[in-house]
Amino acid sequence: FVWEPWMGTLLYGIGFTAAIMTAFYMTRLLIGTFFGEFKGWTIVPGWVDPHAAHGHDDHGHDAHGHDDHGHDAHHHHEEPGPDMQGPTPHESPWQMTLPLVVLGALAAFGGFLNAHPLHLVGLHLTPLENFLEPLFAAGQAVVKPVEGADTFEGIGLGLALVAFLAGAGAAYWIYVQQKGEPARQLAAQQPKLHQLVLDKWRVDEFYQAYVIGALDQVADLCVWFDKVVVDGILARLSAFLVALSGTILRQFQTGRLQAYAAVLVLGLGAVGCYVIAPQASVRQTIDEARGTYALTAAPGFGYQYRWDVDGKDGWDGEFSEEAAKSFSLKADEERKVQLEVKNALGQTSHETFTFVRPRLDLSATAPVKATVTRGADGKVRAVPGHDPEALKRALQKGAH
């Protein structure tokens, strides 16, 4: 981002306009508060609070002990208005007045503690000139004043006074000389704009609808996620799984020896059935470069084997104790090998294996090294292998 020269003028113009508006509404506030007509209750000289005159205490009972919740009780909740009567407004207690006086004095004369513009008339009142200097020490290294900024001090003071006089003068003319009639006419001509300004540009409503509303939606989503996903699914599902697993495990952990013995017998029976049943599995030894394949069947109690290795229809022979077979394949050749195993109980198991010898990738074959020499007859000869010493001797003799 590059700060253009006209941006400074624009920024100053915005501040100058804001100063006029501030002077206007502060003067309007001052006139309406201290110089306008009282818009509260109807002032009655010598007015006395009727509740205090009847001797009501703080507990809602009068001096005779009667309950103060009868026909006069509603007066405690009435809002001030032109239809009500009351005393002449008076100043606040000193506990509230004193802080206001201190703040007002500082607001009115605090500027003289660092009044640089008074240098123009020969007065030097700057006791706080260096008070905030440590805060801006780092900023002074990168922020430099514009050339000729000192000469703008008098112009800036004059413009500030113009802004004050313009805003305050406009408020005085509208609300004192014209009794607020221009403001009422403008409000009547522009009712929507008047209501928008009266609603403080509806910033609070916008914030409530789009900021707080969005946060409320996120909060509602988090509440839903917590109830449905965290509590409803994760917590309850995990609790259900734990309870289910406990219920299942309790069926096996009965504490009865006869139940444990029965399970042990069943387990041993299952293991025995697996061991006794023939397993038609083989261990393969494959050399794809040479195309040789060796198969060795798994041994077992009373096992006999029957093979179909040549790939032709039918078995190569009857059952025998020959547990190993080997064969060769050409490149790209495919062959299906079958094995049938029979145990001592006459049970059989059958399995088919498919083998395909891939074509060799000659591009990936490591290059053959050779020693090239030129003989006495002038012919070039290549000797496979690489003998560094022989190559060195050949080079010494002038061979290439």
Side-chain angles (χ1 to χ4, degrees):
F1 177 77
V2 179
W3 185 265
E4 300 293 340
W6 59 267
M7 293 181 180
T9 304
L10 176 62
L11 187 62
Y12 188 86
I14 294 174
F16 183 76
T17 305
I20 296 177
M21 297 174 64
T22 303
F24 178 85
Y25 71 72
M26 290 302 295
T27 304
R28 174 181 177 273
L29 179 64
L30 178 66
I31 294 172
T33 303
F34 297 100
F35 301 98
E37 297 180 358
F38 181 66
K39 298 180 181 179
W41 55 84
T42 301
I43 299 176
V44 177
W47 181 86
V48 179
D49 188 354
H51 303 293
H54 290 152
H56 293 158
D57 59 14
D58 293 336
H59 298 283
H61 295 79
D62 57 20
H64 302 286
H66 297 126
D67 191 0
D68 188 27
H69 294 281
H71 64 280
D72 290 334
H74 66 279
H75 293 294
H76 292 284
H77 304 286
E78 291 183 356
E79 297 293 336
D83 297 335
M84 293 185 59
Q85 296 181 354
T88 303
H90 58 81
E91 184 56 74
S92 303
W94 68 269
Q95 293 91 341
M96 296 178 62
T97 304
L98 180 60
L100 294 176
V101 171
V102 174
L103 292 175
L106 291 177
F109 303 103
F112 289 100
L113 299 178
N114 198 26
H116 278 273
L118 294 181
H119 292 177
L120 301 175
V121 295
L123 296 178
H124 298 277
L125 298 175
T126 57
L128 299 180
E129 181 176 8
N130 300 322
F131 180 70
L132 298 177
E133 185 175 358
L135 297 177
F136 301 99
Q140 290 178 353
V142 293
V143 179
K144 302 296 182 181
V146 179
E147 184 178 356
D150 295 339
T151 60
F152 186 76
E153 190 172 23
I155 300 175
L157 177 60
L159 291 176
L161 293 176
V162 169
F164 166 73
L165 293 176
Y172 181 81
W173 178 78
I174 293 175
Y175 295 102
V176 175
Q177 293 184 346
Q178 301 295 324
K179 304 299 182 181
E181 186 61 26
R184 287 189 290 269
Q185 292 179 359
L186 180 60
Q189 294 174 359
Q190 302 291 337
K192 294 183 179 180
L193 178 60
H194 175 259
Q195 188 61 41
L196 179 64
V197 176
L198 194 64
D199 293 340
K200 298 167 291 185
W201 303 97
R202 297 193 180 97
V203 174
D204 294 341
E205 288 77 2
F206 177 85
Y207 188 83
Q208 178 69 33
Y210 295 98
V211 179
I212 298 180
L215 293 177
D216 289 341
Q217 293 293 331
V218 174
D220 293 340
L221 179 61
C222 293
V223 170
W224 175 88
F225 183 84
D226 180 69
K227 290 182 178 180
V228 176
V229 179
V230 177
D231 294 339
I233 298 179
L234 297 181
R236 295 182 181 179
L237 179 61
S238 60
F240 171 76
L241 293 177
V242 171
L244 179 61
S245 60
T247 302
I248 296 174
L249 291 176
R250 279 196 299 271
Q251 307 305 316
F252 299 95
Q253 298 294 332
T254 62
R256 298 178 180 179
L257 294 179
Q258 58 270 31
Y260 296 158
V263 173
L264 179 61
V265 170
L266 293 176
L268 289 176
V271 172
C273 292
Y274 177 79
V275 173
I276 293 175
Q279 306 295 325
S281 60
V282 297
R283 183 177 70 251
Q284 304 175 7
T285 303
I286 300 175
D287 187 351
E288 293 181 344
R290 297 181 178 181
T292 58
Y293 298 81
L295 307 179
T296 303
F301 176 71
Y303 275 16
Q304 290 186 340
Y305 311 94
R306 183 165 63 173
W307 296 88
D308 179 15
V309 179
D310 56 7
K312 300 179 181 179
D313 294 337
W315 299 98
D316 296 343
E318 298 299 328
F319 283 102
S320 65
E321 296 182 356
E322 186 179 5
K325 288 287 185 178
S326 60
F327 58 92
S328 300
L329 294 178
K330 298 178 181 180
D332 288 340
E333 183 181 358
E334 178 181 345
R335 181 176 300 184
K336 291 184 178 180
V337 177
Q338 300 185 67
L339 169 64
E340 188 174 8
V341 181
K342 182 173 64 173
N343 62 7
L345 300 179
Q347 297 176 328
T348 61
S349 176
H350 178 268
E351 191 69 39
T352 301
F353 308 93
T354 302
F355 300 93
V356 179
R357 180 186 177 185
R359 181 182 297 274
L360 295 179
D361 186 4
L362 300 179
S363 63
T365 306
V368 178
K369 297 181 179 180
T371 301
V372 180
T373 60
R374 184 185 298 275
D377 56 358
K379 296 182 179 180
V380 178
R381 294 178 176 83
V383 180
H386 178 65
D387 186 355
E389 295 298 330
L391 180 60
K392 183 178 180 180
R393 292 192 298 271
L395 293 175
Q396 290 176 351
K397 294 179 180 181
H400 299 282

